[in-house]
Amino acid sequence: MHSSHETLVVELDAPDDFAGFRQAARVLLLLGVEPDYVQWRWVDALDIRANMQVNAQADSDDLFTSIAAKVVTTADLDRVPAAGSSPVHIRKSQLTVLRNACCHSHVGRYALCYRWLWRVQQFPELIGDVLDSDWCHIEQMAQAVSREIHKMHAFIRFRPTINEEGETVHIAWFEPDNHILRAACDFFERRFANMRWVILTPKGCVSWDLHQLKWAPGATAAQAPKADEGEALWLAYYQSTFNPARLKEQAMLREMPRRYWRNLPETRLISPMVSMARSRKHEMLEKLPHSGKRT
């Protein structure tokens, strides 16, 4: 199947297709295919902007591929007899890191993960080298993805709407940097299993109809619902529970980075409340009795 100087282009089903990558990598490693002769690409059926970019380059890419490379899918690789080199065995925790890293937006994420796996196959002692440069880069991507999934869980704000059938549907808007929607939505399926909801993002949308998840192409912020009366009540509650004596601005910014503020209704209150807290703190300090020496 693979000559020594033929480049293989492996086509995955989605930007976060870790299952497809894992299967393809297993076969390629058994065949002894070196990283320099493997390229990775994926179909992004949900992100409209990504599809526009791909279509704009389709002609030149197809011409180059037809001359210099052979395009294969994971289904093609499944039919290849797996024989040759020994399989690669890694730790369960490392598998989780690879899975998260493959959700990152870095265009070279799959190539990097495959290169590390191939190097581990050649030099098994690398599996325990936490300072290996490839592994450190993979861990950094995985940590960024894990943090963003956590932020998505924390900063989603659903707004109730009524659909054409008269049913209440809660809709939220989120703008992820990475391909985390599929990895993050299980949390919402478990936590909000008894309500209909939709999460809109530029990279794709997901909805829950009380029975199953459904996927749709990406949306824009303009398609998200506007504020309602319930949101006004939430803002009133948020403001009433704000305690200026416990304000720690740097800690707040670490937990709630400014890049998420534009999609959180309560953040419009933060700046005036912080200013008020500083003023009240100054007033309280001024009212404290001043110590002095008796004459």
Side-chain angles (χ1 to χ4, degrees), residues 10-289:
V10 181
E11 186 170 271
L12 302 175
D13 290 338
D16 57 345
D17 183 15
F18 178 73
F21 166 77
R22 185 180 180 185
Q23 176 60 18
R26 181 185 294 115
V27 175
L28 293 172
L29 290 169
L30 288 173
L31 294 173
V33 180
E34 298 179 18
D36 289 345
Y37 297 107
V38 183
Q39 297 177 10
W40 302 86
R41 74 182 190 189
W42 45 88
V43 177
D44 198 345
L46 298 183
D47 192 328
I48 298 176
R49 295 174 303 179
N51 288 335
M52 291 174 61
Q53 293 171 359
V54 170
N55 291 336
Q57 298 178 351
D59 293 339
S60 60
D61 286 350
D62 289 344
L63 177 61
F64 174 79
T65 297
S66 64
I67 297 173
K70 179 176 182 179
V71 179
V72 295
T73 65
T74 54
D76 295 329
L77 292 172
D78 282 342
R79 293 190 290 268
V80 177
S85 303
S86 58
V88 177
H89 299 286
I90 63 175
R91 300 163 185 166
K92 186 177 180 179
S93 59
Q94 292 173 319
L95 187 65
T96 299
V97 171
L98 290 176
R99 180 180 289 107
N100 281 344
C102 288
C103 292
H104 201 275
S105 59
H106 191 289
V107 70
R109 59 193 180 277
Y110 287 111
L112 178 64
C113 290
Y114 181 73
R115 185 173 70 195
W116 179 77
L117 288 169
W118 184 83
R119 291 176 59 234
V120 168
Q121 182 189 53
Q122 305 302 309
F123 309 100
E125 64 274 12
L126 285 178
I127 200 168
D129 187 357
V130 297
L131 298 180
D132 177 75
S133 59
D134 282 348
W135 181 249
C136 287
H137 192 182
I138 291 170
E139 277 195 314
Q140 289 172 0
M141 291 193 296
Q143 289 167 2
V145 166
S146 181
R147 283 194 300 269
E148 189 168 45
I149 290 174
H150 171 72
K151 298 303 182 188
M152 183 174 182
H153 292 165
F155 298 148
I156 279 284
R157 296 292 183 267
F158 287 103
R159 287 170 172 164
T161 63
I162 304 298
N163 64 14
E164 295 178 353
E165 289 75 30
E167 301 165 330
T168 299
V169 180
H170 295 79
I171 303 180
W173 166 256
F174 191 76
E175 297 179 73
D177 287 334
N178 302 297
H179 304 284
I180 64 168
L181 185 58
R182 218 178 305 270
C185 70
D186 288 349
F187 167 85
F188 299 102
E189 180 183 355
R190 293 192 306 270
R191 185 160 186 177
F192 304 113
N194 62 345
M195 75 180 200
R196 295 177 176 83
W197 51 261
V198 178
I199 298 176
L200 308 176
T201 84
K203 296 180 181 296
C205 303
V206 60
S207 63
W208 171 252
D209 63 359
L210 305 182
H211 302 290
Q212 62 181 344
L213 294 172
K214 296 181 180 179
W215 300 90
T220 65
Q223 295 172 272
K226 306 303 180 185
D228 59 1
E229 293 181 1
E231 188 165 299
L233 291 174
W234 158 243
L235 293 177
Y237 170 78
Y238 185 83
Q239 190 168 21
S240 68
T241 58
F242 179 75
N243 185 352
R246 302 183 62 182
L247 175 64
K248 298 184 184 296
E249 292 183 52
Q250 294 305 314
M252 179 188 67
L253 289 173
R254 283 196 299 271
E255 292 301 316
M256 187 187 291
R258 290 187 183 276
R259 64 175 293 265
Y260 297 105
W261 284 27
R262 63 182 177 273
N263 296 321
L264 295 174
E266 63 268 30
T267 54
R268 74 188 69 161
L269 301 176
I270 290 179
S271 293
M273 288 193 303
V274 168
S275 298
M276 181 180 67
R278 291 172 180 165
S279 176
R280 290 175 63 181
K281 179 180 178 181
H282 179 73
E283 290 175 3
M284 288 187 291
L285 291 175
E286 286 293 320
K287 291 179 181 179
L288 289 176

